Amino acid sequence: MGAQKWVLAPCAVLLLLQLASASHVIHRSLEAEAASPSIPPSIVSPLLRTGYHFQPPMNWINDPNGPLYYMGWYHLFYQYNPKGAVWGNIIWAHSVSRDLINWIALEPAIKPSIPTDMYGVWSGSATILPDGTPAMLYTGIDRPNINYQIQNIALAKNKSDPLLREWVKPGYNPIAVPEPGMNATQFRDPTTAWYIDGHWRMLVGGLKDGRRGVAHVYRSRDFKTWKRAKHPLHSALTGMWECPDFFPVHEAGVQNGLETSQFAAKYVLKNSLDLTRYDYYTVGTYNNKTDRYVPDDANGDYRRLQYDYGNFYASKTFYDPAKQRRVLFGWANESDSVPHDKAKGWAGIQAIPRKIWLDPSGKQLVQWPVEEVEKLRAKPVSVANKVVKPGQNFEVTGLQSYQSDVEVSFEVSSLEKAEPFDPAFSNDAQKLCGMKGADVKGGVGPFGLWVLASANLAEKTAVFFRVFKDGYGKPVVLMCSDPTKSSLTSDLYKPTFAGFVETDISSGKISLRSLIDRSVVESFGAGGKTCILSRVYPSMAIGQNAHLYVFNNGETDIKVSHLTAWEMKKPLMNGA
Ligand SMILES: *[C@@H]1O[C@H](CO)[C@@H](O)[C@H](O)[C@H]1NC(C)=O
Ligand SMILES: *[C@@H]1O[C@H](CO)[C@@H](O)[C@H](O)[C@H]1NC(C)=O
Ligand SMILES: *[C@@H]1O[C@H](CO)[C@@H](O)[C@H](O)[C@H]1NC(C)=O
Ligand SMILES: *[C@H]1O[C@@H](CO)[C@H](O)[C@@H](O)[C@@H]1NC(C)=O
């Protein structure tokens, strides 16, 4: 019922398309429960509801599902509870877009309806079949009270419909069930399939022997009958692998993406680790005869490289043929409490879609917000060649920064005073940042941005760099997001998030971009080598009371060679 309220009839879709260029701001009352005394009014304020990040008008969302480009439209499906702001009653909600930024909600695409998905339609992925029909592989739950997981398929009913409004579940479901010896409650999230020499392949995430994460390989000639390969594509001692994603990448430094069935010298295998709740990936090689994947760096296997070091999970990529790029969607959950979510009436957003490609080093990916988000930029404010002395800061004025996009290039005057790096932290950036937060003085840094800051600085979220020097005198760059002072509200989850930045800072130069959107700060260090999404809920620094500063808590001068900040307009967002 909740869903029906905001679903659009096809004629309304056309009307909205005509309106799409106009900048309509419609504030919908959230119909939140009357706030109880323990719910601070700021938590339910519309000023903390994100303005340009993907979300439905209300209720709970989680994993992005089956993203694809079809006949001029981007489609995003996602796990959605039509009945409330907590997980449950999950269906596949469906939205479409011309540009990945303005979204129109359609009727839900997939709901429980057949014996093999009657108790749940969970995550899955899109594959376009040779005759042009889009197909969704997804996980169904087929019995009550136990999450017994089996894999199903749904096909677009009318491939002439660019909006792909109707989906049918063929009679040959299910296409894969847990086999004896497999843990049936840890068997889910099929990938986009790829095609080699007469056979399709797909992956399903799983758990073996209670602690080994595995990516099972299934093969099929006709996309109907699937058989599991004896060996998984890859596995590691990490606990359950959810939402695997596997795709080829162009040679180092080329920003274009590759279609999933295209062969390449390098591949990426990403898994969402149920135990840590982060998305880890490796870069490696794929043998299409044995269907085995080997990461280039065995030591980094699902320990070091994350798409994002903050609230970002269950992500999925797709190849966009319109712009020859690979685009990443990821779910960002809330960092407030369940009572807060119930009072707000909503929980969960999708990160701004990111283009991803292999870094020139060949060792990691680079991620950057899709260029279309720049259409929302208005009213730039710039600062150039401004030196920030040790212990100093300055405010960037002239814009409403609570919904903004900030790009800044820093120049460190010298690396002389960089603190020594303790190699014990080599695989634990987050712990290092927890010990050396934004207010802990350093040699080179901490320097960066205070965003969503109150005028008296009692509230502020810091996004910053700190430079160390290892035993050989080589700089080690840490990027952190420190929300410990982000809000005076209690019952918030405020972890410091951090990752290392593999960048050559010997020239002193490093860049930072932050997409600030009321209760989310999504940051890209060094041109997208390290990314951190953080959810924060200020009690004072909301709306016009939010300020933006550049700070330097190190002993070394930092120059802002260039900073530009834009207010961001509100796109069409599913009718909200
Ligand atoms: C399929 O979609 C096209 C385009 O929206 C529409 O014209 C046609 O009537 C649809 N066919 C059926 C059988 O619904
Ligand atoms: C399946 O995995 C879950 C999670 O690790 C575990 O709790 C459960 O005991 C396992 N079931 C079997 C039958 O091994
Ligand atoms: C399979 O891999 C080989 C390299 O080992 C490559 O040359 C070939 O193009 C691949 N085949 C397909 C269909 O991708
Ligand atoms: C997001 O919420 C926080 C706080 O409740 C949890 O600690 C995280 O595990 C959770 N992340 C995911 C991906 O579920």
Side-chain angles (χ1 to χ4, degrees):
M1 190 195 82
Q4 302 306 326
K5 272 191 254 171
W6 47 273
V7 156
L8 293 167
C11 54
V13 170
L14 292 175
L15 180 64
L16 271 173
L17 290 181
Q18 284 149 18
L19 289 175
S21 53
S23 176
H24 264 237
V25 181
I26 305 159
H27 283 293
R28 187 180 170 285
S29 95
L30 282 171
E31 302 175 83
E33 291 169 19
S36 79
S38 63
I39 307 288
S42 56
I43 279 284
V44 292
S45 165
L47 290 170
L48 285 189
R49 194 178 144 82
T50 60
Y52 62 98
H53 281 72
F54 182 98
Q55 58 181 179
M58 59 197 298
N59 296 332
W60 166 275
I61 77 170
N62 55 297
D63 311 4
N65 292 153
L68 83 156
Y69 177 84
Y70 192 71
M71 292 174 75
W73 290 91
Y74 294 100
H75 292 255
L76 180 65
F77 305 80
Y78 56 97
Q79 298 274 288
Y80 176 66
N81 179 357
K83 294 185 182 158
V86 295
W87 186 87
N89 316 300
I90 292 295
I91 59 172
W92 278 42
H94 182 194
S95 292
V96 292
S97 172
R98 288 283 195 193
D99 59 5
L100 294 168
I101 297 298
N102 289 278
W103 292 96
I104 296 165
L106 301 179
E107 290 279 351
I110 302 180
K111 292 176 173 175
S113 67
I114 56 173
T116 55
D117 72 9
M118 202 49 94
Y119 297 92
V121 290
W122 289 10
S123 288
S125 308
T127 305
I128 298 191
L129 301 183
D131 75 349
T133 305
M136 292 297 175
L137 296 165
Y138 69 96
T139 299
I141 307 297
D142 74 341
R143 56 199 72 181
N145 308 322
I146 166 174
N147 289 325
Y148 193 91
Q149 296 160 10
I150 59 188
Q151 315 315 321
N152 289 300
I153 184 170
L155 300 166
K157 186 171 178 187
N158 177 1
K159 65 179 180 183
S160 313
D161 176 12
L163 300 181
L164 300 174
R165 278 170 289 210
E166 289 184 88
W167 293 80
V168 290
K169 300 169 186 173
Y172 51 80
N173 276 311
I175 54 161
V177 299
E179 292 158 45
M182 275 168 71
N183 187 328
T185 67
Q186 311 291 321
F187 176 58
R188 54 184 177 269
D189 309 333
T191 61
T192 295
W194 67 101
Y195 190 78
I196 305 164
D197 295 338
H199 277 97
W200 288 99
R201 275 97 164 141
M202 67 154 168
L203 303 178
V204 180
L207 177 71
K208 207 179 159 200
D209 306 330
R211 55 200 194 108
R212 182 172 282 277
V214 295
H216 298 292
V217 177
Y218 281 79
R219 300 197 187 103
S220 173
R221 274 195 186 280
D222 58 4
F223 221 81
K224 292 178 185 162
T225 306
W226 293 81
K227 197 168 179 321
R228 189 168 64 88
K230 192 163 164 227
H231 297 288
L233 183 81
H234 189 53
S235 71
L237 288 171
T238 57
M240 171 67 187
W241 281 0
E242 298 195 285
C243 300
D245 195 19
F246 183 58
F247 53 89
V249 284
H250 256 300
E251 54 266 41
V254 176
Q255 294 197 12
N256 282 355
L258 289 173
E259 204 279 323
T260 311
S261 287
Q262 206 165 326
F263 185 79
K266 292 288 170 190
Y267 281 73
V268 168
L269 177 62
K270 179 281 292 188
N271 291 294
S272 303
L273 265 53
D274 202 7
L275 286 181
T276 66
R277 312 294 286 171
Y278 294 112
D279 280 7
Y280 295 79
Y281 72 94
T282 54
V283 180
T285 51
Y286 167 57
N287 182 324
N288 61 16
K289 295 277 177 297
T290 57
D291 277 326
R292 297 286 202 126
Y293 168 83
V294 181
D296 291 344
D297 174 10
N299 293 323
D301 203 353
Y302 303 95
R303 273 187 286 275
R304 180 135 185 194
L305 288 176
Q306 292 174 212
Y307 277 166
D308 191 294
Y309 295 86
N311 300 55
F312 188 93
Y313 193 67
S315 67
K316 198 177 289 303
T317 63
F318 74 104
Y319 176 66
D320 170 13
K323 294 204 171 180
Q324 286 106 51
R325 60 186 168 177
R326 188 161 282 272
V327 175
L328 172 69
F329 275 100
W331 162 53
N333 71 341
E334 301 298 311
S335 290
D336 58 6
S337 67
V338 171
H340 291 156
D341 290 343
K342 287 184 174 168
K344 277 154 51 185
W346 64 276
I349 59 170
Q350 304 293 344
I352 296 296
R354 302 172 181 177
K355 173 169 139 172
I356 63 173
W357 67 94
L358 191 58
D359 181 68
S361 70
K363 291 184 177 161
Q364 65 161 97
L365 295 170
V366 184
Q367 305 168 55
W368 200 243
V370 293
E371 60 189 8
E372 289 90 335
V373 75
E374 293 164 26
K375 293 199 288 190
L376 301 177
R377 288 173 168 177
K379 200 178 173 187
V381 166
S382 290
V383 176
N385 293 320
K386 193 159 170 125
V387 173
V388 195
K389 295 262 172 212
Q392 302 286 300
N393 64 69
F394 71 87
E395 184 175 357
V396 179
T397 55
L399 84 159
Q400 296 293 349
S401 64
Y402 69 101
Q403 189 171 307
S404 63
D405 180 356
V406 185
E407 286 201 65
V408 49
S409 305
F410 294 106
E411 218 174 302
V412 175
S413 59
S414 150
L415 295 173
E416 198 90 1
K417 292 184 174 154
E419 300 158 77
F421 180 70
D422 179 348
F425 294 102
S426 294
N427 282 319
D428 209 342
Q430 185 164 9
K431 192 163 171 198
L432 184 55
C433 177
M435 289 169 55
K436 290 180 178 277
D439 294 334
V440 179
K441 299 221 176 314
V444 179
F447 64 90
L449 300 173
W450 283 329
V451 307
L452 299 173
S454 59
N456 61 1
L457 292 174
E459 288 186 340
K460 57 187 194 285
T461 295
V463 185
F464 63 93
F465 299 112
R466 186 188 280 266
V467 186
F468 299 85
K469 225 183 259 173
D470 73 10
Y472 306 98
K474 188 174 165 276
V476 177
V477 181
L478 181 72
M479 174 174 164
C480 288
S481 171
D482 180 352
T484 48
K485 302 260 169 69
S486 60
S487 180
L488 301 180
T489 299
S490 53
D491 297 329
L492 297 174
Y493 174 59
K494 293 178 183 169
T496 42
F497 290 128
F500 293 105
V501 194
E502 290 298 328
T503 185
D504 179 11
I505 199 171
S506 55
S507 64
K509 292 185 178 144
I510 190 162
S511 72
L512 177 64
R513 179 175 182 189
S514 285
L515 296 171
I516 301 161
D517 190 6
R518 297 157 181 250
S519 61
V520 55
V521 183
E522 200 174 346
S523 303
F524 300 81
K529 284 172 187 269
T530 302
C531 310
I532 304 178
L533 190 155
S534 189
R535 299 298 311 275
V536 292
Y537 311 84
S539 66
M540 297 184 284
I542 64 178
Q544 297 185 3
N545 298 320
H547 299 259
L548 171 67
Y549 296 83
V550 176
F551 78 96
N552 177 10
N553 271 338
E555 289 173 23
T556 306
D557 285 5
I558 303 294
K559 187 165 84 182
V560 172
S561 6
H562 196 86
L563 178 151
T564 306
W566 295 264
E567 287 184 7
M568 294 296 264
K569 290 179 282 197
K570 191 181 187 309
L572 285 179
M573 192 48 73
N574 292 316

